[in-house]
Amino acid sequence: MTSPPDPRSLDLDALRSRLLSERGGTVDDSIPQLADADPDLCALALALPDGTVRTSAQADVPFSVQSAVKPFLFALALVDTDGEALDLVGIEPTGEAFDAIKLESGTGRPPNPMVNAGALLTASLVEGDGPEERSARIARGLSAFAGRDLLVDEQVAHNEHLLGDRNHALAHLMRAEGALQPSADDAVAVYARACATLVDAETLAVMGATLALGGVNPRTGERVVSARVARDVVSVMATCGVYDGSGRWMRAVGVPAKSSVSGAIVLSAPGRLGAAVVSPPLDDQGTSVRGRRASEMLSDDLQLHSFSV
Ligand code: GLU
């Protein structure tokens, strides 16, 4: 058996130039800060087991992490509840949009931690006496995944809290079902703040690598979560990470990933690497058009597809 290609041999700037000629998709306009995103922002990064990170141009441009935070919220909830989060949120794909106002039939639980209902719940399961403490613990946890202190874009957090009507509706629905403990408003505030965390492609790749490499941050050497938690999270990224496009993603890219409305995608290829791609124009499922293309190319060039033999 031949060994897979060395990620160090890949020219990420050449790949980026090929991506820039792709023009499809529309930038999310749910809040002004996302609507103002540069449609030509395009960056890629790969974080490798030896702690090195390979980047293209613009891999240091900050953006709000949005739903790419969901795998990490799930991980922190699993740690802080000692695994009980697995009983409180489902793990089945929905085939529906990220913000569908729907809970699991029969149980009243959110369907999975990668859609908004699930992430509102997992964020509220993170330890903390009240929303400020919970947000502080989330910030510390996300920073450990990143290997550096992460900041929050206060304007984004404010607007998402204010304008996230569907998230408020989901939180109220979960309260009515007895699934959510904090007040609906506190739950939305904590989730909105997590989504407003600022990252860049380089940082997000390290976060993805920490999950891909069994919970140890390859840059700092810190064990952030157990190997079991990392495995559980990556499994759910594989089945639910790209919303109602998860099946198509798994066939074409074959790497567990999480998409987001800021146009970022975080990928965790177990045992191999973490990767991040960002480009704001999105397709109908809310996946970055160039990000998807980039992920297909990375998967092909580096033989990352989980089911390729
Ligand atoms: N903050 C966004 C929301 O809850 C995240 C959605 C996404 O990135 O897919 O509406």
Side-chain angles (χ1 to χ4, degrees):
M1 209 136 120
T2 53
S3 48
D6 184 354
R8 271 165 284 252
S9 63
L10 209 61
D11 184 343
L12 292 179
D13 280 313
L15 211 152
R16 178 176 177 273
S17 305
R18 273 157 64 201
L19 290 168
L20 279 172
S21 59
E22 306 235 356
R23 290 260 146 227
T26 36
V27 174
D28 179 82
D29 61 359
S30 57
I31 58 167
Q33 286 79 8
L34 288 173
D36 285 348
D38 173 9
D40 286 326
L41 167 65
C42 184
L44 302 97
L46 301 176
L48 309 180
D50 67 1
T52 57
V53 184
R54 308 237 327 126
T55 55
S56 73
Q58 294 193 304
D60 58 351
V61 174
F63 53 85
S64 59
V65 64
Q66 298 297 333
S67 284
V69 79
K70 288 171 177 165
F72 307 99
L73 292 177
F74 183 35
L76 296 175
L78 285 170
V79 171
D80 285 3
T81 62
D82 211 7
E84 208 203 323
L86 277 173
D87 298 325
L88 304 174
V89 58
I91 52 167
E92 301 302 334
T94 63
E96 295 194 53
F98 68 98
D99 56 356
I101 311 284
K102 215 167 171 184
L103 300 178
E104 201 173 65
S105 65
T107 67
R109 306 183 301 181
N112 71 64
M114 302 297 147
V115 292
N116 284 18
L120 282 158
L121 184 69
T122 55
S124 81
L125 293 173
V126 174
E127 212 165 83
D129 200 1
E132 283 85 18
E133 266 194 29
R134 192 164 297 122
S135 285
R137 154 84 181 127
I138 289 173
R140 283 195 304 277
L142 297 178
S143 297
F145 274 109
R148 69 175 179 86
D149 284 342
L150 299 178
L151 301 173
V152 167
D153 183 322
E154 296 296 340
Q155 284 298 321
V156 171
H158 175 79
N159 281 339
E160 295 224 18
H161 185 194
L162 196 71
L163 302 173
D165 288 329
R166 296 184 73 84
N167 290 334
H168 285 275
L170 279 166
H172 282 290
L173 189 59
M174 286 193 286
R175 290 267 311 166
E177 290 290 336
L180 185 73
Q181 297 311 315
S183 76
D185 195 57
D186 282 356
V188 176
V190 171
Y191 168 70
R193 246 189 119 66
C195 287
T197 304
L198 286 169
V199 294
D200 52 36
E202 177 172 358
T203 304
L204 196 55
V206 174
M207 296 174 77
T210 303
L211 287 176
L213 302 171
V216 176
N217 182 316
R219 237 184 189 176
T220 61
E222 183 188 350
R223 171 161 295 285
V224 181
V225 292
S226 69
R228 181 54 193 251
V229 164
R231 193 186 81 175
D232 283 345
V233 173
V234 174
S235 303
V236 181
M237 288 165 78
T239 51
C240 309
V242 191
Y243 303 131
D244 42 341
S246 296
R248 212 155 50 93
W249 177 274
M250 211 50 197
R251 187 199 66 79
V253 181
V255 179
K258 182 72 207 81
S259 57
S260 77
V261 292
S262 50
I265 303 176
V266 57
L267 297 97
S268 297
R272 297 281 305 279
L273 52 80
V277 288
V278 58
S279 166
L282 308 175
D283 67 15
D284 291 343
Q285 276 85 37
T287 310
S288 165
V289 171
R290 290 193 191 106
R292 162 185 288 281
R293 189 72 202 105
S295 302
E296 288 170 359
M297 294 199 276
L298 287 174
S299 176
D300 286 348
D301 290 354
L302 299 175
Q303 295 174 15
L304 295 175
H305 198 298
S306 305
F307 305 116
S308 271
V309 178

